[in-house]
C-alpha cells in the first residue's frame, strides 16, 4: 500500500508497518505498527493478542487506563466477531472449497482475504487440524448475548479489566448507600440540624445525584464488562 504494508506470517500473525520511518531530512517520522496473533483454541473460538508499537504519543498512551482502552477495542471486536461468526457458517454451507461464492470481495484490500484463503486451502485443506478429531468444525450458533459476552471471554482473563470491574461495583454500592444515608439523615434531622429549605433541597439533590450516578454506573458496567448488543444498522 502507499503508506505501508501488511504481512501475514503463517500460521497466525498479522504484521503491519509503514513504508518509510525516516524522512528525507534524516529525522524520524511518526509511525506505528500493528502486530496481531489470532490463535485457534477450540472450534469456533480463537485467542486474539495484539500490540501497537509506535514512536509518538507514548506518554499519552501510558496515561490512559488499560481497561479503558480495552472497552474501546472490544466494541470493534464485537462488530468483527458477529460478522465473522455468520460468515464462516456461510462458507461451510457453500462448501469449504467454494468460499468465494458465499461473499463478495471486490476491493483491493480484499486481496488479503483471498491470499489467506488460498494459503488456508493449500496448507490446511480449508479447516483447522485439531489434535483431537472434531465431528463438526463449527459449534451451533448461540444466542447473541452468549456470542458477544465479554466477561468470560476477556474480563475474567484481564487483570486490568477485572480490577476496574471490582472497583466500579464497590463504587456503585457506595453511591447507593450514600443516597439512602442522606435520605435517612434528612428524615431524622429535619427541623433540627436541617432547618432551611436550601439545606433540605441540597440534601435531596445529593441523594438524587448519588442514586442517579449508581444507576448510570450499573448500566456502564453491564455494557462495558458483560454484554452490549451490537446492531450494525445503527452504526
Amino acid at each position: 500500500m502507499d503508506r505501508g504494508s501488511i504481512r501475514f506470517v503463517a500460521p497466525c500473525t498479522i504484521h503491519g508497518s509503514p513504508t518509510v520511518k525516516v524522512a528525507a531530512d534524516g529525522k524520524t517520522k511518526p509511525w506505528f505498527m500493528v502486530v496481531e496473533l489470532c490463535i485457534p483454541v477450540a472450534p469456533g473460538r480463537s485467542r486474539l493478542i495484539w500490540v501497537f508499537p509506535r514512536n509518538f504519543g507514548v506518554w499519552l498512551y501510558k496515561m490512559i487506563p488499560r481497561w479503558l482502552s480495552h472497552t474501546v477495542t472490544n466494541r470493534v471486536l464485537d462488530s468483527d466477531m458477529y460478522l465473522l461468526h455468520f460468515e464462516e457458517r456461510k462458507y461451510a454451507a457453500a462448501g469449504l472449497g467454494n468460499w468465494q461464492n458465499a461473499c463478495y470481495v471486490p476491493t483491493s484490500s480484499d486481496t488479503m482475504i483471498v491470499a489467506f484463503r488460498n494459503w488456508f486451502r493449500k496448507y490446511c485443506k480449508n479447516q483447522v487440524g485439531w489434535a483431537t478429531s472434531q465431528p463438526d468444525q463449527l459449534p451451533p450458533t448461540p444466542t447473541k448475548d452468549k456470542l458477544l459476552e465479554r466477561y468470560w471471554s476477556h474480563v475474567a482473563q484481564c487483570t486490568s479489566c477485572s480490577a476496574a470491574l471490582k472497583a466500579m461495583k464497590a463504587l456503585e454500592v457506595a453511591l447507593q448507600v450514600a443516597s439512602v444515608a442522606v435520605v435517612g439523615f434528612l428524615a431524622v434531622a429535619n427541623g433540627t440540624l436541617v432547618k432551611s429549605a436550601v439545606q433540605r433541597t441540597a440534601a435531596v439533590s445529593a441523594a438524587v445525584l448519588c442514586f442517579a450516578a449508581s444507576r448510570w454506573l450499573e448500566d456502564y458496567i453491564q455494557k462495558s464488562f458483560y454484554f452490549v448488543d451490537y446492531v450494525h444498522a445503527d452504526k
Side-chain angles (χ1 to χ4, degrees), residues 64-85:
I64 299 174
R66 192 153 56 98
W67 65 265
L68 183 59
S69 64
H70 286 185
T71 60
V72 175
T73 305
N74 281 336
R75 297 174 190 172
V76 179
L77 294 180
D78 280 349
S79 170
D80 292 344
M81 181 165 56
Y82 196 65
L83 288 174
L84 291 172
H85 179 85

Side-chain angles (χ1 to χ4, degrees), residues 147-161:
L147 181 61
L148 298 180
E149 71 84 22
R150 290 183 180 176
Y151 182 78
W152 293 111
S153 63
H154 176 78
V155 177
Q157 323 296 330
C158 176
T159 56
S160 179
C161 289

